[in-house]
Amino acid sequence: MNERIENQFNILNSKSNLLPDVEQLYYSNLCKAKTSISYIANRIEWAKGVFKNKQEFYNVDSLSEARYIINQALSIISTAYFPTDLGLCWFNNPKFGGSMLELKEITQNKDENPYLELFEYNILPFISKEAPDIIGISIAGDSQLIPALSLSRLIKQQFDNVHVVVGGYVVTLLADTIMKYEELFTTFFDSAILYEGELPLLKLTEAIAEGDILDGVPNLIHYCKCRILTNDILPPDSINSLPTPCFDDFKLESYLSPDPVLPILSSKGCYWGKCAFCSHNESYRWRYRNRDASKIADDLQHLSNRYGVHHFVFTDEAISPASISRLSDELINRDEDYRLSTNIRFERHFTPELCRKMHEAGFRLLYLGLESGCNRILDVMKKGITKEIAAEVCQNIHSADIWNHLYVFFGFPTESREEAQETIDFLLTNKNIINSFSVGYFILNKGAAVAKYPEQYGIDRIDIDPVKDFNLAYNYSVLSGMTNREAVDFSNNCWDKIADEYESMKILNKIDQEDLILYLSHFEQTNLTSKLLGEKKVEEVKETKQITRDMILITSPFVVLEKLRFDLININRNIACNKHVHEYPHATSVIYDPISGKLYPINLLIEEILNLCDGGKSIQQISYILSTKYDASVRKIEVDIILLLQFLLREGFVHIRG
């Protein structure tokens, strides 16, 4: 990795000029990556250990630092495979615009696709050892498309006798695209399952085991005799007939968590199913079915006993009030001790009594899609709620000592800035009963009602490129209200305004949303701000120790002095200010701290002073060396050095020895 980054940096650093935007960003990222890789590599095992250590995990400062280290490691990997953007929960390459040609290119591009090396060295040997007849790959989110098809392509290339089948939400949305390209079946996979896959996958496995043709496998798209065939779509099995999930082959102790948290599904589809912006119900053919409360409780009990788990996340689109009431009764009657989170809708049926019962049953975290604080926009969205109902439900959840997390977004077609402001006002007015929130902007998703019937929602034009038919979201223009660009800017600009008003959001500055259920369970209270931050004594801001002439200073560990052909400070300024200008060579030296991310320009004299701060010479001795070399006043040089080092000490670039 280090050699790869160095080589890429040297190529850019030798250019006659750096192009605006992407090339300058790449140069900046490479500079930071090459100077911080040693520090991050030395800390990565410690960081992973924090996530698995119960004492360290629940120390917000340790967890925050550990997550920073892991995120920086992923940033370095992203830089090595630029322009890839890789995170714990996402993968993105902006070069993939949604075309078949781009799909073929990126799934075999080892310079920009980090998954290829990962799969070749880790997954393919495992497949060779296990020698399976069939491999199923689920593509549940759009960021999984490239990694999944990179893997399926490698499997198809190396294992002639393995049947590769893909399925999941994304495959269902892309059914029309899949049926267009024979090359998908000759290069990437053998078949694709649409909608719910339990019964089709079983029938596919049986057909392959018996050597039968695949025409009888329901919901299957497959390739036969140079033709793409689509089998009959059949109703799914009863949700009550499905077995309890099995996690036997998952190494739960390897996940970044001190206690395993397992997903569980109590229903399929959304019982409301009318929100105009949502396409999730496509996977369930716009049907809703829920599992009996007794069977869900049996599932939880079995999983808890088998894996020693008592934290569960319900991954339902939304559990209805009636269903969650029955489940809560079942868990209370069984006297089970679980800690649970789930998605719910704003419904008046979530009364104070029901919310208290949910708390007794173990629910500690609820996610709710508010989307907007403007009643007109909620009506246009077909949300079926009002902001008054939302405030009432937030109050009931909050009073039951359950954490509520709201999702809002800006820019739904026809929404004005004034109406968007109503959402901000709602969050600020109700900050005493809302624990946390996420802010986003409207995305026109394939399969949503807004995309199917744009004229009903004030959309003037949808930009659908037939060549880029793997896209799951579209660009568009509106007849009135904010444009998409304005909505993105509004979302970014409002975040700080709202978050600063929320004490509870200080916690989410240190831990991630995914950590919440464990923290709420561990501390058994929703007032995490008071528990984790309020108990700390407010320390007075200590002045940096005053440097004296007899002190010995040394450059802080991992701080790097770097000589560059281009002015990195100016490049970063171009990026921050969106200045689309070329950058020409201008020899520059900088000092960089990979721990804090601070960057400071230095001249040759400062560089010389820092090199003399080797931990063995006092400031007085350094001053004498320089006064002799430059035939200057010792006293004047000493004063200047103290002023410089005082600043660098305050910024953390140097520290006092001993």
Side-chain angles (χ1 to χ4, degrees):
M1 184 72 68
N2 198 7
E3 183 180 355
R4 182 188 184 100
I5 288 174
E6 285 282 353
N7 290 339
Q8 292 170 340
F9 173 77
N10 290 336
I11 292 172
L12 270 190
N13 203 42
S14 62
K15 293 192 67 173
S16 60
N17 68 86
L18 298 179
L19 299 176
D21 305 323
V22 173
E23 201 164 74
Q24 291 183 32
L25 176 62
Y26 190 21
Y27 186 84
S28 177
N29 289 348
L30 284 169
C31 287
K32 293 172 184 176
K34 69 192 289 288
T35 52
S36 61
I37 191 168
S38 176
Y39 170 75
I40 298 300
N42 285 330
R43 296 285 283 165
I44 194 69
E45 290 302 320
W46 169 85
K48 288 160 59 179
V50 168
F51 278 87
K52 300 177 184 181
N53 182 293
K54 290 188 178 183
Q55 183 175 352
E56 289 296 312
F57 182 85
Y58 295 110
N59 180 318
V60 290
D61 292 325
S62 292
L63 183 60
S64 178
E65 183 181 353
R67 192 175 293 281
Y68 170 80
I69 296 296
I70 289 176
N71 286 337
Q72 287 299 104
L74 291 168
S75 178
I76 291 171
I77 295 171
S78 297
T79 300
Y81 291 89
F82 191 85
T84 284
D85 182 18
L86 181 68
L88 281 175
C89 303
W90 73 85
F91 167 84
N92 177 52
N93 187 309
K95 283 189 176 181
F96 177 62
S99 72
M100 183 64 178
L101 182 64
E102 291 163 336
L103 179 67
K104 290 190 293 183
E105 197 281 328
I106 197 170
T107 53
Q108 58 183 341
N109 185 341
K110 292 188 175 183
D111 291 331
E112 296 180 5
N113 188 342
Y115 286 99
L116 292 173
E117 185 176 349
L118 175 70
F119 293 151
E120 286 177 353
Y121 285 95
N122 293 277
I123 304 300
L124 296 187
F126 173 77
I127 294 173
S128 180
K129 177 183 176 183
E130 295 295 318
D133 296 314
I134 182 171
I135 294 176
I137 300 176
S138 179
I139 311 177
D142 54 358
S143 69
Q144 296 177 337
L145 180 65
I146 298 303
L149 295 186
S150 297
L151 175 59
S152 69
R153 183 173 190 164
L154 287 172
I155 296 172
K156 285 276 287 179
Q157 287 173 348
Q158 189 151 330
F159 303 100
D160 293 333
N161 298 322
V162 176
H163 184 101
V164 179
V165 55
V166 296
Y169 165 70
V170 170
V171 171
T172 296
L173 280 185
L174 291 175
D176 55 342
T177 301
I178 290 172
M179 288 185 283
K180 287 173 54 178
Y181 295 105
E182 292 185 9
E183 195 169 0
L184 285 173
F185 295 89
T186 58
T187 304
F188 289 94
F189 47 78
D190 297 286
S191 63
I193 290 176
L194 306 181
Y195 306 109
E196 296 173 57
E198 292 92 350
L199 177 61
L201 186 59
L202 174 62
K203 295 297 183 182
L204 176 64
T205 304
E206 291 173 346
I208 290 174
E210 296 296 326
D212 295 339
I213 61 173
L214 304 182
D215 292 2
V217 178
N219 301 23
L220 193 74
I221 306 176
H222 59 108
Y223 189 65
C224 181
K225 297 179 180 179
C226 301
R227 290 192 304 148
I228 298 174
L229 305 176
T230 304
N231 295 350
D232 292 338
I233 305 297
L234 298 183
D237 270 0
S238 164
I239 191 171
N240 283 321
S241 70
L242 299 179
T244 299
C246 177
F247 298 93
D248 285 358
D249 293 327
F250 290 84
K251 296 180 180 179
L252 299 180
E253 71 281 356
S254 297
Y255 285 78
L256 295 178
S257 173
D259 292 299
V261 181
L262 292 182
I264 188 79
L265 196 65
S266 74
S267 63
K268 294 197 174 190
C270 176
Y271 69 91
W272 176 250
K274 299 176 184 178
C275 296
F277 53 82
C278 184
S279 60
H280 290 180
N281 248 358
E282 282 282 319
S283 293
Y284 304 108
R285 302 184 71 192
W286 302 92
R287 298 171 179 172
Y288 174 73
R289 288 129 43 233
N290 59 335
R291 192 167 171 89
D292 289 345
S294 60
K295 288 186 174 292
I296 302 168
D298 289 343
D299 293 337
L300 294 173
Q301 190 173 51
H302 173 81
L303 293 171
S304 180
N305 292 338
R306 188 171 186 85
Y307 304 112
V309 173
H310 74 285
H311 295 96
F312 295 93
V313 174
F314 283 91
T315 57
D316 302 48
E317 298 296 324
I319 300 183
S320 71
S323 296
I324 209 167
S325 179
R326 291 191 294 268
L327 176 59
S328 295
D329 286 333
E330 189 75 30
L331 296 178
I332 291 169
N333 290 337
R334 296 190 186 198
D335 194 26
E336 300 289 4
D337 184 27
Y338 306 130
R339 292 297 174 264
L340 313 167
S341 74
T342 190
N343 301 302
I344 64 170
R345 271 178 48 80
F346 282 108
E347 306 272 15
R348 278 211 163 105
H349 295 294
F350 285 105
T351 61
E353 295 75 23
L354 176 54
C355 291
R356 286 195 293 269
K357 181 165 66 172
M358 290 164 60
H359 183 276
E360 185 179 354
F363 285 94
R364 293 295 183 271
L365 174 60
L366 300 177
Y367 295 101
L368 303 100
L370 171 66
E371 326 308 358
S372 173
C374 171
N375 283 340
R376 188 191 77 82
I377 294 299
L378 289 171
D379 187 52
V380 175
M381 288 177 176
K382 294 183 170 53
K383 282 289 294 182
I385 64 169
T386 65
K387 62 182 177 183
E388 289 77 20
I389 292 175
E392 182 181 322
V393 173
C394 284
Q395 178 65 69
N396 295 341
I397 296 170
H398 181 77
S399 298
D401 202 28
I402 300 175
W403 187 288
N404 56 53
H405 183 94
L406 275 57
Y407 296 104
V408 301
F409 65 80
F410 299 106
F412 190 82
T414 74
E415 182 182 47
S416 66
R417 286 182 174 274
E418 291 74 23
E419 289 172 322
Q421 182 62 43
E422 289 189 50
T423 301
I424 295 177
D425 294 342
F426 180 91
L427 293 172
L428 294 177
T429 301
N430 295 289
K431 64 183 181 181
N432 293 329
I433 57 173
I434 297 172
N435 294 103
S436 59
F437 58 88
S438 299
V439 173
Y441 53 88
F442 173 70
I443 298 174
L444 183 58
N445 289 313
K446 181 176 183 177
V450 186
K452 292 178 179 178
Y453 315 105
E455 66 283 351
Q456 297 181 16
Y457 296 94
I459 291 182
D460 179 44
R461 187 189 75 254
I462 299 179
D463 299 327
I464 299 178
D465 186 341
V467 174
K468 299 182 177 182
D469 45 8
F470 286 89
N471 274 338
L472 295 174
Y474 307 122
N475 293 325
Y476 63 95
S477 61
V478 292
L479 294 170
S480 64
M482 289 189 290
T483 65
N484 182 251
R485 182 66 260 171
E486 289 171 338
V488 172
D489 292 341
F490 193 95
S491 172
N492 293 336
N493 293 335
C494 84
W495 171 255
D496 290 336
K497 297 178 187 175
I498 314 175
D500 285 347
E501 295 291 327
Y502 271 72
E503 285 294 312
S504 56
M505 295 300 284
K506 293 178 181 177
I507 295 297
L508 291 185
N509 287 334
K510 289 182 171 290
I511 68 174
D512 262 20
Q513 189 176 312
E514 290 77 13
D515 305 321
L516 265 176
I517 185 61
L518 289 171
Y519 263 71
L520 293 167
S521 171
H522 181 79
F523 292 106
E524 278 299 337
Q525 65 179 70
T526 53
N527 192 0
L528 292 179
T529 309
S530 173
K531 181 67 180 176
L532 300 176
L533 304 180
E535 291 182 352
K536 294 183 179 182
K537 295 180 180 179
V538 179
E539 298 180 0
E540 295 181 2
V541 178
K542 297 180 180 179
E543 292 186 5
T544 305
K545 189 171 183 179
Q546 190 62 40
I547 295 175
T548 59
R549 63 202 302 259
D550 58 332
M551 287 182 175
I552 297 175
L553 279 80
I554 188 170
T555 304
S556 297
F558 300 106
V559 166
V560 177
L561 277 72
E562 193 77 16
K563 294 183 178 181
L564 307 167
R565 280 188 72 236
F566 294 92
D567 188 340
L568 183 58
I569 304 295
N570 200 50
I571 287 173
N572 288 341
R573 192 178 299 116
N574 292 342
I575 295 168
C577 300
N578 290 318
K579 292 179 65 177
H580 306 289
V581 295
H582 289 250
E583 191 67 27
Y584 294 92
H586 182 269
T588 311
S589 292
V590 296
I591 185 169
Y592 178 68
D593 182 0
I595 301 175
S596 66
K598 290 179 179 178
L599 185 73
Y600 185 69
I602 59 175
N603 56 32
L604 291 175
L605 183 57
I606 296 176
E607 183 179 347
E608 190 171 5
I609 292 170
L610 288 171
N611 287 329
L612 288 170
C613 290
D614 55 6
K617 302 179 185 70
S618 67
I619 291 176
Q620 184 180 16
Q621 291 171 319
I622 293 172
S623 301
Y624 180 78
I625 293 171
L626 292 178
S627 70
T628 302
K629 179 176 180 179
Y630 294 105
D631 191 22
S633 165
V634 175
R635 181 60 185 160
K636 176 66 169 63
I637 287 181
E638 190 176 280
V639 170
D640 290 343
I641 290 176
I642 288 176
L643 286 173
L644 169 68
L645 293 180
Q646 195 73 57
F647 166 77
L648 295 177
L649 178 66
R650 185 171 66 249
E651 295 298 309
F653 291 113
V654 298
H655 67 272
I656 300 169
R657 200 192 71 177

